[in-house]
């Protein structure tokens, strides 16, 4: 009988599920040395956030098939090491969906009606009804930033309460937004028209301090902000200043830039214009049970030879298929990430064009990898090789696959064409010797670029001086250029330039680059 090690506290219902197919050993509080010593005898490991599954632990796990994290994040698992050893890593990306959505709604209503302060006043022997006069949410406009599963549930309930809904989500189709009763708008419109604004997006370099002094200035002074997503999306100093000066009416926060919230945080000094809770979004009995069941079921299924539904690394591929296609899957994911960023995220269709020897192979892993890359900037750990197709379908993204077995410049190459309501973007790539990834064209402009983490891409007129001016601007901001290449079809016509950078582009530099004569557009790309 298989053996499962449970090294963090897990709800009993999860343990009972595992016991149907395996011997379950619960050993909580193990040190890394203790875990390394006993892990070789186990087929599965179930954890929460307490256990650190390091590379050393994985290397010692000689018969481990699956690591299950009862929660969303897998930061405490060395996923690349597990993947290299063929160990599946699964999580529960949706187990706390309802809990987080309901907490968002509870925070909004508490803020609107001053419930926490009114409760404290009554318990202190006071009876001052006039002081706690609130506002109704009925017929108010709720702006939802991020219309994934949590944001969608918030939209459904808010609509039932009679609220008008605006939404911003660059990865959602207009049709899907309309099904939820939302009007899809750009951020500036959402900021200007919303009475309540709720955040449902991951913390990334792009969303860091999305709510800041500049964006707050675009909001109504009567607007109220709710954040039950991630700390750091709001610039807390700017928020405090706006609340103190009356530029905003209120804020309800469940997450903070630093947790636990510092004793000296100015947020603690504010009155009933703020509601603060200690990161309770997933803290319901049901959510804890849900994640335990979700992950236990996946471990059970894998031990029975069935696929898992929420693997965060490559699931379900035979070793021979994985060995052959893994480099192409990496290429597809990289190109998907790139074309999604160039298309601005809002993609309605994705054409996956396989050429040469690639067209003779099983295309499904390549398509899934491309979709994972396309959606990863927005969904982060919530998208994986298992659910990428479903996530794309839910967002109304239509996938078209074409094949061309004839060989041209490369033995096998891949082209992705992303179409949005307003534009079409395309990227191509191939594998060179030793499986080196190479971007071979952008919008049909021929180039040969090795993808790097930080890249600056410009669309411009091929004319003297542009390269020098951009290089000077990068230097003035202390940004080092690793490589640069220009692709063009004709002399002094349109061209594309790709600059690989050693450093991320500082705030404000992109705006300066766009001012250079001849530059039609410019993009920061993070791969």
């Amino acid at each position: 009988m298989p053996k499962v090690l449970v090294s963090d506290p897990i709800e009993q219902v999860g343990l009972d599920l595992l016991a149907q197919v395996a011997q379950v050993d619960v050993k909580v509080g193990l040190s890394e040395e203790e875990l390394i010593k006993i892990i070789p005898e186990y087929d599965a490991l179930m954890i929460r956030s307490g256990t650190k599954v390091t590379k050393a632990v994985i290397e010692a796990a000689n018969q481990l098939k699956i690591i299950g994290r009862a929660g969303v994040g897998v930061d405490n698992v060395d996923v690349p090491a597990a993947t290299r050893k063929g160990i599946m890593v699964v999580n529960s990306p949706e187990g706390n969906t309802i809990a987080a959505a309901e907490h968002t709604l509870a925070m909004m209503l508490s803020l609107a009606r001053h419930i926490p302060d009114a409760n404290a006043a009554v318990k202190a022997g006071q009876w001052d009804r006039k002081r706690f006069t609130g506002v109704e949410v009925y017929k108010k406009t709720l702006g939802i930033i991020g219309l994934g599963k949590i944001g969608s549930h918030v939209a459904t309930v808010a609509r039932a309460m009679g609220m008008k809904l605006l939404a911003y989500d660059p990865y959602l189709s207009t049709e899907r937004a309309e099904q939820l009763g939302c009007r899809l708008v750009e951020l500036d419109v959402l900021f200007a028209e919303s009475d309540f604004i709720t955040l449902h997006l991951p913390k990334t370099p792009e969303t860091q301090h999305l709510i800041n002094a500049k964006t707050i200035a675009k909001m109504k002074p009567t607007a109220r902000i709710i954040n039950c997503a991630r700390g750091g999306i709001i610039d807390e100093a700017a928020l405090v200043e706006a609340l103190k000066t009356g530029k905003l009416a209120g804020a309800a926060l469940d997450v903070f830039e630093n947790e636990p919230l510092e004793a000296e945080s100015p947020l603690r000094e504010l009155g009933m214009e703020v509601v603060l809770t200690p990161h309770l979004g997933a803290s319901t009995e049901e959510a804890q049970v849900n994640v335990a069941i979700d992950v236990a079921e996946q471990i059970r299924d894998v031990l029975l030879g069935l696929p898992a539904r929420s693997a965060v690394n490559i699931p379900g591929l035979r070793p021979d298929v994985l060995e052959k296609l893994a480099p192409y899957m990496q290429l597809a994911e990289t190109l998907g990430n790139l074309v999604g960023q160039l298309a601005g995220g809002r993609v309605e269709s994705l054409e996956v064009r396989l050429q040469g020897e690639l067209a003779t192979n099983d295309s499904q892993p390549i398509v899934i990898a491309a979709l994972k890359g396309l959606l990863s900037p927005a969904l982060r750990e919530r998208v994986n090789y298992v659910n990428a197709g479903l996530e794309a379908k839910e967002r109304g993204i239509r996938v078209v696959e074409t094949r061309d077995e004839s060989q041209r410049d490369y033995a096998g190459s891949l082209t992705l064409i992303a179409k949005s309501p307003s534009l079409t973007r395309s990227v191509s790539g191939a594998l060179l010797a030793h499986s080196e990834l190479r971007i071979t064209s952008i919008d049909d402009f021929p180039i040969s670029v090795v993808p790097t983490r930080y890249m600056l891409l410009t669309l411009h007129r091929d004319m003297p001086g542009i390269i020098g001016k951009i290089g000077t601007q990068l230097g003035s901001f202390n940004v080092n250029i690793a490589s640069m290449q220009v692709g063009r079809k004709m002399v002094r016509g349109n061209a594309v330039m790709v600059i690989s950078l050693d450093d991320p582009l500082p705030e404000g530099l992109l705006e300066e680059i766009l001012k250079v004569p001849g530059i039609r557009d410019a993009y920061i790309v993070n791969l």
Side-chain angles (χ1 to χ4, degrees):
M1 176 177 283
K3 296 180 66 176
V4 179
L5 174 62
V6 178
S7 58
D8 287 322
I10 299 293
E11 292 290 329
Q12 185 62 42
V13 64
L15 303 180
D16 293 341
L17 276 167
L18 293 173
Q20 297 174 2
V21 297
Q23 174 186 322
V24 181
D25 295 338
V26 180
K27 299 180 181 181
V28 177
L30 296 172
S31 66
E32 182 180 23
E33 292 74 20
E34 291 170 328
L35 187 55
I36 289 172
K37 186 177 180 179
I38 66 173
I39 197 65
E41 61 185 277
Y42 288 98
D43 301 277
L45 173 63
M46 188 171 184
I47 62 173
R48 289 184 65 86
S49 58
T51 301
K52 308 300 179 187
V53 188
T54 62
K55 182 178 180 181
V57 171
I58 290 169
E59 287 179 345
N62 294 327
Q63 63 185 52
L64 201 64
K65 299 177 179 66
I66 181 171
I67 300 167
R69 161 72 162 96
V72 177
V74 289
D75 295 342
N76 54 325
V77 179
D78 190 330
V79 177
T83 302
R84 284 192 296 272
K85 196 155 184 178
I87 300 170
M88 192 180 303
V89 181
V90 303
N91 65 349
S92 180
E94 299 175 19
N96 64 355
T97 296
I98 299 301
E102 288 185 354
H103 194 63
T104 298
L105 294 158
M107 293 285 273
M108 179 176 68
L109 293 170
S110 295
L111 182 64
R113 300 303 295 269
H114 308 305
I115 290 173
D117 287 85
N119 172 67
V122 173
K123 288 184 175 180
Q126 301 172 23
W127 193 265
D128 188 355
R129 297 171 63 191
K130 185 175 182 181
R131 178 186 166 204
F132 299 112
T133 301
V135 297
E136 297 179 2
V137 300
Y138 180 62
K139 290 189 177 180
K140 296 296 193 305
T141 298
L142 174 63
I144 305 172
I145 303 179
L147 211 56
K149 289 182 172 59
I150 296 173
S152 295
H153 189 72
V154 169
T156 300
V157 178
R159 184 184 185 189
M161 292 194 297
M163 300 189 79
K164 302 174 184 177
L165 305 179
L166 300 179
Y168 171 79
D169 189 325
Y171 290 84
L172 196 76
S173 68
T174 302
E175 180 182 2
R176 174 58 178 157
E178 290 175 350
Q179 289 173 356
L180 293 168
C182 297
R183 178 163 64 96
L184 209 57
V185 296
E186 296 301 323
L187 271 178
D188 285 354
V189 175
L190 186 146
F191 289 145
E193 297 185 12
S194 296
D195 301 299
F196 294 86
I197 296 172
T198 179
L199 308 176
H200 300 286
L201 62 171
K203 180 187 175 184
T204 67
E206 294 75 27
T207 63
Q208 171 80 10
H209 287 182
L210 175 68
I211 306 300
N212 53 48
K214 184 177 179 181
T215 52
I216 289 173
K218 299 176 182 179
M219 302 176 191
K220 301 177 181 179
T222 55
R224 293 167 171 85
I225 297 176
I226 303 98
N227 185 16
C228 296
R230 289 289 183 269
I233 298 175
I234 296 178
D235 181 341
E236 291 174 5
L239 177 65
V240 169
E241 178 64 21
L243 292 169
K244 284 183 175 180
T245 57
K247 294 178 182 177
L248 276 180
L253 308 177
D254 183 50
V255 290
F256 306 91
E257 293 194 72
N258 296 301
E259 295 182 4
L261 184 63
E262 304 99 324
E264 65 276 11
S265 170
L267 286 167
R268 295 180 183 270
E269 301 172 4
L270 297 171
M272 59 184 182
E273 66 269 26
V274 295
V275 176
L276 309 176
T277 54
H279 205 146
L280 299 179
S283 296
T284 66
E285 295 178 3
E286 293 86 350
Q288 301 307 307
V289 169
N290 288 342
V291 296
I293 292 175
D294 188 1
V295 173
E297 287 179 341
Q298 294 185 76
I299 293 175
R300 178 199 63 192
D301 289 348
V302 168
L303 293 178
L304 292 174
L306 302 172
R309 58 179 172 268
S310 296
V312 300
N313 56 355
I314 303 174
L317 286 177
R318 300 191 315 274
D320 58 326
V321 176
L322 176 58
E323 182 178 0
K324 184 176 183 179
L325 290 184
Y328 280 115
M329 292 176 69
Q330 184 181 0
L331 173 67
E333 186 170 342
T334 300
L335 294 179
N337 196 323
L338 174 59
V339 79
Q341 292 183 60
L342 296 181
R346 188 167 296 154
V347 174
E348 293 190 341
S349 70
L350 180 70
E351 180 181 345
V352 181
R353 185 178 297 167
L354 302 98
Q355 296 172 316
E357 67 177 23
L358 192 56
T360 64
N361 287 285
D362 181 8
S363 63
Q364 188 61 17
I366 306 299
V367 173
I368 291 298
L371 290 173
K372 180 178 182 294
L374 183 74
L375 297 172
S376 286
L379 301 182
R380 298 287 166 169
E381 71 273 4
R382 286 163 41 209
V383 63
N384 53 59
Y385 288 104
V386 170
N387 66 9
L390 179 61
E391 293 284 356
K393 184 178 180 180
E394 289 183 347
R395 282 159 177 76
I397 299 173
R398 184 169 57 91
V399 178
V400 179
E401 179 188 327
T402 59
R403 294 171 180 262
D404 179 3
E405 295 185 14
S406 61
Q407 294 186 5
R408 295 183 175 85
D409 297 331
Y410 304 95
S413 62
L414 178 67
T415 297
L416 301 181
I417 303 171
K419 295 183 179 180
S420 71
S422 57
L423 79 166
T424 298
R425 308 306 301 264
S426 69
V427 297
S428 297
L431 295 178
L432 275 61
H434 308 294
S435 297
E436 179 183 292
L437 274 63
R438 194 65 60 94
I439 302 169
T440 57
S441 78
I442 296 177
D443 288 348
D444 294 328
F445 290 102
I447 57 171
S448 182
V449 174
V450 177
T452 58
R453 182 176 182 183
Y454 305 115
M455 302 174 74
L456 171 65
L457 188 148
T458 68
L459 300 173
H460 63 275
R461 182 75 179 274
D462 181 34
M463 54 190 288
I466 285 186
I467 296 174
K469 289 177 182 177
I470 292 180
T472 299
Q473 286 185 331
L474 291 171
S476 67
F477 278 76
N478 198 33
V479 177
N480 198 45
I481 297 175
S483 65
M484 184 275 293
Q485 188 173 128
V486 174
R488 63 183 187 179
K489 299 175 184 177
M490 59 181 293
V491 176
R492 295 183 184 263
N494 291 328
V496 62
M497 176 164 55
V498 180
I499 303 177
S500 298
L501 307 172
D502 291 331
D503 315 284
L505 213 63
E507 186 176 351
L509 180 52
L510 187 66
E511 288 77 5
E512 295 301 316
I513 290 173
L514 287 166
K515 295 177 184 177
V516 173
I519 296 291
R520 294 193 295 117
D521 217 339
Y523 301 85
I524 301 171
V525 175
N526 295 309
L527 297 177

